[in-house]
Amino acid sequence: MTIILMSHYKLVSLFILSLFFCSLGNSALAQSSTIRKEQGDLLAIKDSAAFADKLNRIGILFYLKDVDSCFYYGTKAKALSARLRYTRGETDADNVIAAALYFKGLYKEALELFSKCLTAYRELGDSANVAQVLSNMSTVYTDMADTEKAVSFARQGFELGQQLEGDSIQTLLYLNYCLDHPELPEDTIRHYLAKARAIADKYNDRPMQSLAMLMLPTYMVANNRRREALPLIRAALEHSRSTGMEYMEISTLMLYGDCMENMPDSALAYYTLAHKIAEKNGYKNFNLQLLDVILKNTEKTGNKDQIIRVQKMLTSALAADNSNLKKFIGDYTVYNAIREKNDLLEAGNQSKLAKIWMLAGICFATILLLAFIYYQYRRSRQKNEIISDQNHQLQNTLAALEQSQADNTQMLRVVAHDLRSPIGAMTSIANLMLGEGPRNDNDRVLLDLLKTSGENSLELVNDLLLMHTRAEELTKEPVDMHQLLQYCVELLHFKAKEKMQQISLMAAHVIVHVNREKIWRVMSNLITNAIKFSPIGAHITVRLEEKDGKVQISVEDQGIGIPEDIKDNIFDMFTVSRRAGTAGEQSFGLGLSISRQIVEAHGGAIWYKSTPGNGSTFFVELEAV
């Protein structure tokens, strides 16, 4: 089986973890506490070369949190090392700067610096860093879709890593090789991951342990083997939390969210938690990606308010990202200018002609950078315009949908209202004819059928007239809920008596500001359902209690209960879960849906508890006056 790599996993980017692999060790994954400690240690360093090394170390630790800070420390280390003529410090600084350029999508510029690092590390005889730079360049070429060069550099790094005396670098190379070559058979992937995990365990390398644990379930999720992946993801999450790996905890929560593709609410919970952790600990690099998946899952839930809120957050984040990009390009321009200035100082003993050509080169480079800045500026403006247009279109679409729903509802109510009179007349005539004189059995059967059909049709028409109740359509008044419930119970007493059932009412006199007719319809629906789905001789209890400024009404029956397979959709309109009553009573699947609309339009809530075969209890909660 060939494994397809999950796209978001590139953010885990083993690429950066290879930078200074031998020197960073277990702190290679940027933890907030590690960065603070390293920054504090700067004050105690007196040796200039060691100070440059520390700047490089802090820069690479910042890569996973804030690329701008990574670039800042890299340029500071570069400037200091250049003044000291400290070759290794300059090379390590170029490595840090190249990493920042790669993350910002400046692949060509990143490759230029990596090539320079590759040459310098070879001259220094640093085979471990030569191997990691080769692996990094393979990753960049993979993102540039240059498969041939990506495979070539990966193979060179892999072969060199196997020749090294120490095997700690091989953990990284195995993981990077699997990451950049998802076309490998699964058995091969598992083999290399197992070897990487064994080496990481040997050196107690916690970052590499976490990555090795996370990669296999990532491949499984990408191949729709989510159930098989969940235990592995759970183990990876526990490991990242127990070892304080904030970055890996965020990545693992994102993978959890990807497992919940068909459960947007669950996916949102994981993505939102990941976003909170990222914001709390300053992992800015995750912001856009997390907000994008949060928006996609919010759209699946259909919550318009949440969709608009997340859209605003994403728009704000995009604007901030564009602003940061402009600042980054400005900083990069300054960096280039400083680098060129240093080059000019190095060439101070050359002829005037050489200086003129050097200045011409600087001007040309500046023009190119200004052109690039202008291109990025126009690109960011175009993106903002596209986002604005999309948001405007979305608002128009929502308004059109709401108007269409209002028109459909009005048309349905008009039709239902016009049908109520003829259906009522038909039912009354059938009832009168049944009460007149003796009739043969065939006539009585037909009249009973006509009467029953008319009553069912009237019930359906009444339900249709109550569809899509909205808060602004309600006319509220103070209502004594005890009197309203007493009226419902008395009205339905005769219907319950037909099945030899008893209805008990236990309620205090509580005043609630509601629409009397619609709340009466809700309670009538709930009590009618209790009668319909309870057996002969059953007992139905209606209670009213006042708790913490709220009124809670419950209707408890001894009926057939609600099966597990339909419990999630009994409040849906025209639900497929509608069932006949215990005496064959017909159900249209509208009553509970309309009841929920009415209760929610009052700012209340409706829910239920049920055990199949042991009855159900429906609850309605409203604000008391």
Side-chain angles (χ1 to χ4, degrees):
M1 179 174 70
T2 300
I3 299 176
I4 305 301
L5 180 64
M6 192 174 188
S7 61
H8 98 272
Y9 194 65
K10 290 300 287 183
L11 188 57
V12 173
S13 193
L14 296 179
F15 156 84
I16 189 55
L17 296 179
S18 65
L19 297 175
F20 312 126
F21 177 85
C22 298
S23 61
L24 288 183
N26 280 336
S27 61
L29 286 180
Q31 305 305 301
S32 303
S33 57
T34 304
I35 292 175
R36 289 193 296 269
K37 181 180 182 301
E38 296 291 341
Q39 289 174 320
D41 291 344
L42 280 173
L43 301 176
I45 297 176
K46 297 181 180 180
D47 181 77
S48 298
F51 194 92
D53 289 338
K54 183 67 72 173
L55 289 172
N56 279 320
R57 181 183 178 87
I58 295 173
I60 206 60
L61 287 173
F62 259 113
Y63 177 85
L64 299 176
K65 297 188 70 170
D66 185 355
V67 176
D68 295 326
S69 296
C70 169
F71 181 77
Y72 170 81
Y73 280 100
T75 54
K76 289 295 183 183
K78 173 74 173 180
L80 176 59
S81 299
R83 288 198 302 271
L84 298 173
R85 298 184 181 276
Y86 178 37
T87 304
R88 173 170 288 281
E90 282 192 77
T91 306
D92 289 345
D94 284 338
N95 224 348
V96 175
I97 295 168
L101 295 175
Y102 163 78
F103 188 89
K104 289 292 186 179
L106 303 176
Y107 297 143
K108 182 179 178 181
E109 291 80 359
L111 284 172
E112 288 177 357
L113 279 180
F114 278 137
S115 297
K116 182 178 178 181
C117 293
L118 186 62
T119 301
Y121 282 135
R122 281 173 173 164
E123 291 176 355
L124 291 169
D126 189 345
S127 298
N129 272 320
V130 169
Q132 61 88 359
V133 171
L134 288 168
S135 182
N136 291 344
M137 294 178 74
S138 171
T139 300
V140 179
Y141 278 119
T142 298
D143 283 2
M144 294 175 68
D146 191 338
T147 306
E148 182 178 351
K149 289 184 179 179
V151 171
S152 174
F153 280 97
R155 184 179 295 113
Q156 292 179 55
F158 196 76
E159 291 173 353
L160 178 59
Q162 291 181 318
Q163 297 171 13
L164 298 175
E165 291 183 4
D167 59 356
S168 60
I169 187 67
Q170 293 181 29
T171 307
L172 164 79
L173 296 174
Y174 285 135
L175 294 177
N176 244 5
Y177 192 77
C178 293
L179 182 67
D180 288 335
H181 296 84
E183 74 281 358
L184 293 172
E186 183 175 357
D187 290 343
T188 303
I189 295 288
R190 285 180 176 272
H191 171 72
Y192 285 132
L193 290 180
K195 296 186 73 172
R197 179 65 188 272
I199 297 172
D201 290 343
K202 175 181 176 181
Y203 292 96
N204 192 28
D205 191 337
R206 293 179 296 171
M208 291 302 160
Q209 288 172 342
S210 295
L211 283 168
M213 292 175 69
L214 189 58
M215 282 189 67
L216 184 57
T218 300
Y219 284 115
M220 291 178 176
V221 172
N223 285 273
N224 294 319
R225 293 157 57 190
R226 295 178 176 82
R227 186 180 298 274
E228 185 180 352
L230 281 173
L232 300 178
I233 298 173
R234 191 176 300 113
L237 182 60
E238 292 174 356
H239 185 271
S240 63
R241 285 174 172 171
S242 65
T243 54
M245 297 291 173
E246 302 157 355
Y247 180 83
M248 292 308 303
E249 182 180 359
I250 297 169
S251 297
T252 308
L253 288 169
M254 292 169 67
L255 190 57
Y256 248 131
D258 291 340
C259 284
M260 308 298 170
E261 182 179 4
N262 297 321
M263 295 181 286
D265 288 328
S266 299
L268 273 175
Y270 288 110
Y271 289 136
T272 303
L273 179 57
H275 186 252
K276 288 181 180 178
I277 295 173
E279 281 197 322
K280 177 182 177 182
N281 295 285
Y283 285 87
K284 299 179 181 179
N285 299 343
F286 282 98
N287 197 32
L288 285 179
Q289 183 186 9
L290 280 168
L291 286 175
D292 184 60
V293 293
I294 288 172
L295 176 59
K296 289 177 181 176
N297 283 274
T298 304
E299 289 173 344
K300 291 180 182 179
T301 65
N303 188 323
K304 293 185 286 187
D305 292 337
Q306 284 294 99
I307 291 172
I308 293 172
R309 185 182 69 83
V310 177
Q311 281 180 334
K312 289 180 179 178
M313 292 174 62
L314 182 56
T315 301
S316 176
L318 283 169
D321 187 67
N322 286 335
S323 176
N324 287 337
L325 179 60
K326 294 174 189 175
K327 182 179 181 301
F328 180 86
I329 294 172
D331 292 342
Y332 183 56
T333 303
V334 173
Y335 163 74
N336 264 340
I338 293 173
R339 187 177 65 176
E340 294 293 345
K341 183 178 179 180
N342 289 335
D343 291 340
L344 283 174
L345 291 175
E346 288 290 329
N349 296 325
Q350 296 181 3
S351 65
K352 293 182 179 180
L353 181 61
K355 292 181 179 180
I356 293 174
W357 281 108
M358 186 70 71
L359 288 171
I362 294 174
C363 292
F364 181 70
T366 303
I367 292 172
L368 288 178
L369 286 170
L370 289 173
F372 180 74
I373 292 171
Y374 180 69
Y375 167 76
Q376 291 293 335
Y377 173 71
R378 290 194 60 184
R379 185 181 174 189
S380 64
R381 285 194 61 184
Q382 290 172 354
K383 285 184 177 179
N384 286 334
E385 289 173 358
I386 291 172
I387 292 171
S388 178
D389 290 342
Q390 289 177 344
N391 187 49
H392 183 67
Q393 291 173 7
L394 180 61
Q395 295 294 335
N396 290 339
T397 301
L398 289 174
L401 286 173
E402 290 176 352
Q403 183 60 45
S404 176
Q405 183 182 17
D407 292 343
N408 290 336
T409 301
Q410 182 63 25
M411 184 181 300
L412 189 61
R413 288 179 175 175
V414 169
V415 172
H417 185 273
D418 289 347
L419 286 174
R420 183 158 58 176
S421 295
I423 292 174
M426 177 187 72
T427 305
S428 298
I429 291 171
N431 195 35
L432 287 173
M433 292 179 70
L434 282 171
E436 292 178 354
R439 295 186 181 276
N440 59 49
D441 292 341
N442 189 45
D443 287 347
R444 295 193 68 84
V445 169
L446 290 174
L447 289 171
D448 278 332
L449 181 60
L450 182 62
K451 176 186 175 185
T452 302
S453 297
E455 289 173 346
N456 289 337
S457 298
L458 277 176
E459 182 181 350
L460 177 59
V461 166
N462 288 332
D463 285 342
L464 290 174
L465 287 172
L466 289 171
M467 283 176 59
H468 303 302
T469 300
R470 295 185 297 181
E472 58 267 23
E473 298 174 351
L474 294 175
T475 301
K476 298 181 180 180
E477 59 180 310
V479 175
D480 187 332
M481 291 303 296
H482 179 277
Q483 292 180 359
L484 187 144
L485 292 173
Q486 183 69 37
Y487 177 67
C488 285
V489 170
E490 290 176 355
L491 194 64
L492 295 171
H493 171 73
F494 297 100
K495 193 169 185 177
K497 194 172 182 181
E498 293 175 2
K499 297 176 73 172
M500 294 182 286
Q501 298 171 345
Q502 292 183 348
I503 306 177
S504 299
L505 173 63
M506 292 181 283
H509 289 274
V510 180
I511 303 299
V512 181
H513 203 66
V514 295
N515 183 287
R516 182 187 299 272
E517 178 189 355
K518 295 188 183 298
I519 292 298
W520 173 84
R521 172 62 64 180
V522 172
M523 301 317 304
S524 178
N525 275 338
L526 295 181
I527 298 173
T528 299
N529 282 348
I531 295 170
K532 184 185 299 183
F533 295 108
S534 294
I536 294 174
H539 189 84
I540 298 167
T541 304
V542 181
R543 293 186 178 87
L544 183 148
E545 298 177 325
E546 186 175 8
K547 298 179 180 179
D548 302 325
K550 295 182 182 292
V551 173
Q552 188 179 98
I553 307 164
S554 63
V555 179
E556 181 181 0
D557 63 47
Q558 298 173 340
I560 58 178
I562 301 171
E564 289 290 326
D565 58 337
I566 66 171
K567 67 177 185 178
D568 294 331
N569 56 10
I570 65 168
F571 287 107
D572 293 345
M573 188 73 68
F574 295 107
T575 176
V576 295
S577 61
R578 60 179 181 267
R579 300 174 294 165
T582 55
E585 298 97 327
Q586 187 175 1
S587 176
F588 298 104
L590 282 173
L592 287 177
S593 175
I594 292 171
S595 295
R596 181 172 67 175
Q597 290 178 17
I598 293 172
V599 172
E600 290 180 351
H602 281 82
I606 182 170
W607 71 95
Y608 73 93
K609 294 179 181 178
S610 178
T611 303
N614 290 324
S616 305
T617 303
F618 279 81
F619 299 89
V620 174
E621 188 174 80
L622 300 168
E623 293 285 344
V625 175

